[in-house]
Amino acid sequence: MELRHYLQFKDFTLDEYDYVFARTRWIKDKFKRYEPYQPLVDRTLAMVFEKHSTRTRVSFEAGMNQLGGSVITLMTRDTQMGRGEPIEDVARVISRMVDIIMIRTFEQRIIERFSEYSRVPVINGLTNEYHPCQIMGDIYTYIEHRGSIRGKTVTWIGDSNNVCNTWLQAATIFDFNVHVSTPPGYEVEPERAGIYDTSHFESFTDPLEAVRGADLVTTDVWTSMGMEAEDAERKHDFEDWQVDAEMMRLAKSDALFMHCLPAHRGEEVATEVIDGPQSVVWDEAENRLHVQKALMEYLLLGRTII
Ligand code: CP
Ligand code: NVA
């Protein structure tokens, strides 16, 4: 089987997402009925974390165990990587011992270098630039609640970070529109976002204008991991970019609210929104488990059904 990696959202075609989502529905349904499905017996997932995680760690670990495989979790500071072993050497060694690898790290270039030397599939569990597993879960969640996302409007409020960049890549593939509103100085950088087609993306200086008529409103923390030194400055710069009830009223009446979590209530989102009736954040978090199980199955076994 051809070796495939999943390093950014545009690594898969729409046809592949349709397949992975069909598998997700089937795998999730079996899970809900307590019916074991263990196609990955004897397979091992290694997870490498250079940053904190709750959802990504639990969803990949639980997911691989449920599929019959086992998991090794490495926090870089406890390993020789934390003492400067080159990433290329680590990739060559780990990929001779396990079947699939997930990495959460800093620059995208690190995971690219790792994948160049890996014998097994590598999955991006978040980098400074992208978070593809998150948006796979988010789009799956949107479809579960509202049907096709094609032609819909997703409004992103806040920082043009890894999650925002990934929404922008997904817009071209799934053919929906993204309205982005960031404070001045924090605008989307198309090259960093990895988008070459800006026809699915519109930028707004006024967050209230960006949210008008949206089908989905989403945001994320003002200060991502690794940028903690800017926290005070960002709290000041982003204070008008909180998703609150007034903002949600301008979106469509059936608009959903999503947040990749962890959330800071009272900063990027008001409590009344994240804990309100339009919020689907818990379904969104749960679906990380189901889409990633389908993703690991696809990367290791290819298409198991026509
Ligand atoms: N959304 C997400 O990736 O959460 P964690 O940082 O907890 O993994
Ligand atoms: N943008 C956030 C996402 C956390 C899941 C970060 O990178 O810290």
Side-chain angles (χ1 to χ4, degrees):
M1 216 181 100
E2 183 203 359
L3 174 60
R4 294 285 302 277
H5 303 297
Y6 188 61
L7 305 185
Q8 48 183 310
F9 201 86
K10 65 186 180 190
D11 286 348
F12 281 5
T13 63
L14 181 60
D15 183 57
E16 290 182 298
Y17 283 111
D18 285 344
Y19 173 80
V20 171
F21 285 174
R23 292 303 296 156
T24 303
R25 270 188 289 281
W26 189 86
I27 289 169
K28 179 173 179 178
D29 184 56
K30 276 190 100 59
F31 174 78
K32 294 290 179 186
R33 286 190 278 116
Y34 294 97
E35 289 175 11
Y37 173 58
Q38 305 204 316
L40 300 184
V41 170
D42 278 344
R43 308 288 182 116
T44 305
L45 164 71
M47 298 198 289
V48 178
F49 285 100
E50 298 219 65
K51 293 176 177 172
H52 294 271
S53 171
T54 299
R55 278 144 290 270
T56 303
R57 179 169 177 178
V58 175
S59 55
F60 270 104
E61 185 157 344
M64 190 47 148
N65 287 330
Q66 289 159 17
L67 292 173
S70 57
V71 183
I72 297 166
T73 302
L74 301 165
M75 314 306 282
T76 45
R77 64 178 173 275
D78 301 334
T79 70
Q80 299 291 4
M81 275 179 280
R83 299 177 59 247
E85 185 171 10
I87 200 87
E88 292 81 0
D89 293 357
V90 177
R92 281 182 278 212
V93 171
I94 299 182
S95 72
R96 283 176 180 236
M97 298 176 179
V98 304
D99 302 280
I100 188 164
I101 300 167
M102 188 235 74
I103 309 182
R104 168 167 286 197
T105 186
F106 292 91
E107 291 79 27
Q108 182 72 8
R109 189 65 201 128
I110 298 173
I111 198 167
E112 284 169 0
R113 281 167 52 208
F114 192 102
S115 68
E116 282 158 24
Y117 288 86
S118 173
R119 287 183 170 189
V120 301
V122 177
I123 298 172
N124 182 346
L126 180 147
T127 57
N128 291 350
E129 289 86 350
Y130 307 119
H131 197 2
C133 295
Q134 181 67 51
I135 303 308
M136 201 190 289
D138 291 6
I139 293 178
Y140 184 81
T141 306
Y142 185 88
I143 294 169
E144 265 191 341
H145 281 269
R146 294 283 184 268
S148 172
I149 197 167
R150 187 160 190 257
K152 304 287 186 195
T153 298
V154 174
T155 296
W156 176 272
I157 301 292
D159 190 19
S160 64
N161 62 16
N162 40 13
V163 180
C164 174
N165 288 342
T166 309
W167 271 113
L168 292 170
Q169 288 197 357
T172 304
I173 296 167
F174 280 85
D175 192 19
F176 59 85
N177 307 305
V178 185
H179 289 181
V180 179
S181 181
T182 66
Y186 296 93
E187 292 88 355
V188 169
E189 297 169 46
E191 198 170 325
R192 184 173 164 82
I195 51 165
Y196 306 107
D197 156 21
T198 49
S199 64
H200 291 83
F201 151 55
E202 201 175 336
S203 169
F204 294 78
T205 46
D206 180 354
L208 298 178
E209 282 305 314
V211 95
R212 213 173 279 283
D215 297 283
L216 166 63
V217 180
T218 184
T219 187
D220 186 12
V221 290
W222 292 338
T223 305
S224 286
M225 291 181 280
M227 308 188 99
E228 289 77 7
E230 297 177 16
D231 192 50
E233 193 184 343
R234 283 172 171 264
K235 278 199 175 97
H236 170 264
D237 294 347
F238 282 81
E239 63 185 1
D240 293 334
W241 274 262
Q242 180 187 96
V243 179
D244 58 13
E246 183 199 343
M247 209 182 263
M248 286 303 290
R249 271 194 288 277
L250 296 172
K252 285 199 180 134
S253 56
D254 69 344
L256 299 177
F257 172 78
M258 289 191 193
H259 189 310
C260 64
L261 307 175
H264 295 155
R265 288 170 176 78
E267 292 185 21
E268 75 276 2
V269 61
T271 302
E272 61 194 351
V273 171
I274 193 167
D275 296 324
Q278 289 169 283
S279 172
V280 292
V281 297
W282 314 120
D283 291 343
E284 183 188 359
E286 179 189 327
N287 280 331
R288 291 286 303 280
L289 170 71
H290 308 300
V291 296
Q292 289 163 193
K293 285 167 76 176
L295 172 67
M296 289 190 284
E297 182 197 53
Y298 180 60
L299 291 173
L300 286 172
L301 304 181
R303 292 190 187 234
T304 58
I305 54 164
I306 308 299

